[in-house]
Amino acid sequence: MKAALTLFSFLPNSDDDMLGRISFAALLIALAATGLAVPGRSAAQCRLCAAPTTAPDSKAEQAKPIRLEVRTALDFDRLILTGPGNGQAILRPDGTRQSLGAIGGLSGRAIVAEVVVHGEPGRAVRVDLPRSIELYGLIGGSVRIEALVSDLPDFPALDGAGELRIRIGGELLITGDVDGDFRGDVPVIVDYL
């Protein structure tokens, strides 16, 4: 920013000499104060001049690491096919159950998964769950959990104690004539924002 200044010189020759000198002195002080308020060149670091660094951010190093604790696993317990055809077993994060199609009712022993995230209190986190997972039978075959649903808020964050509880349910789809025990993994990925 540039400042322009024009000075007028005058020679006071009347009784207003003192008033003129005070006005002139006030003008000079005001201009000097304005000149002091004009910022000089700002000192900024040249990003192109310094060697790039690949060291991790010091804030990230200071943050308490995230730890996941699986309290319970997602378990649809035993499902009974009542006839040929497709069926769907729904287990919501609040524990409500529903069965559709060729599946008998879900038993009371079906439980939702509960995962507790431990970390730095008050930090916002991003939680990624897969859209669907495949469960594989011990003697072959597979069934699919079509949708994993959770009770996560829109903007998840750890509470004052550094915890976030997540309950996870799903919609299990059965197609065809399948039989056996089926198992699979549900990857839960959590990162600080």
Side-chain angles (χ1 to χ4, degrees):
M1 171 187 269
K2 294 184 179 184
L5 173 64
T6 304
L7 287 177
F8 294 99
S9 65
F10 66 94
L11 295 172
N13 55 9
S14 68
D15 291 337
D16 296 331
D17 285 348
M18 186 57 92
L19 182 61
R21 287 183 189 163
I22 292 173
S23 298
F24 184 67
L27 176 65
L28 287 178
I29 291 172
L31 290 175
T34 306
L36 292 176
V38 174
R41 296 180 85 184
S42 62
Q45 180 182 0
C46 174
R47 292 185 183 197
L48 298 175
C49 300
T53 179
T54 57
D57 185 14
S58 62
K59 273 188 176 179
E61 286 180 10
Q62 294 173 355
K64 187 176 180 180
I66 293 176
R67 183 174 57 88
L68 293 178
E69 174 188 356
V70 178
R71 295 262 172 102
T72 58
L74 181 60
D75 188 353
F76 283 87
D77 194 35
R78 295 176 189 217
L79 298 176
I80 298 174
L81 294 175
T82 58
N86 300 336
Q88 186 174 15
I90 301 169
L91 182 57
R92 293 184 185 86
D94 63 1
T96 57
R97 301 159 175 83
Q98 183 179 7
S99 58
L100 304 169
I103 295 179
L106 271 75
S107 76
R109 296 187 321 195
I111 55 174
V112 298
E114 184 177 19
V115 176
V116 180
V117 179
H118 300 276
E120 191 172 321
R123 287 286 300 266
V125 292
R126 181 183 76 231
V127 180
D128 291 326
L129 296 171
R131 292 179 188 243
S132 62
I133 60 168
E134 200 78 22
L135 303 176
Y136 296 98
L138 299 175
I139 57 172
S142 66
V143 294
R144 185 172 188 82
I145 296 181
E146 285 294 319
L148 287 170
V149 290
S150 73
D151 62 355
L152 277 171
D154 291 335
F155 302 102
L158 302 177
D159 64 12
E163 292 185 355
L164 173 65
R165 295 182 189 282
I166 307 167
R167 293 173 52 95
I168 303 168
E171 299 176 7
L172 178 68
L173 183 64
I174 307 288
T175 57
D177 188 18
V178 292
D179 191 13
D181 283 336
F182 297 91
R183 307 262 185 253
D185 294 324
V186 179
V188 178
I189 300 171
V190 182
D191 291 313
Y192 287 125
L193 289 180

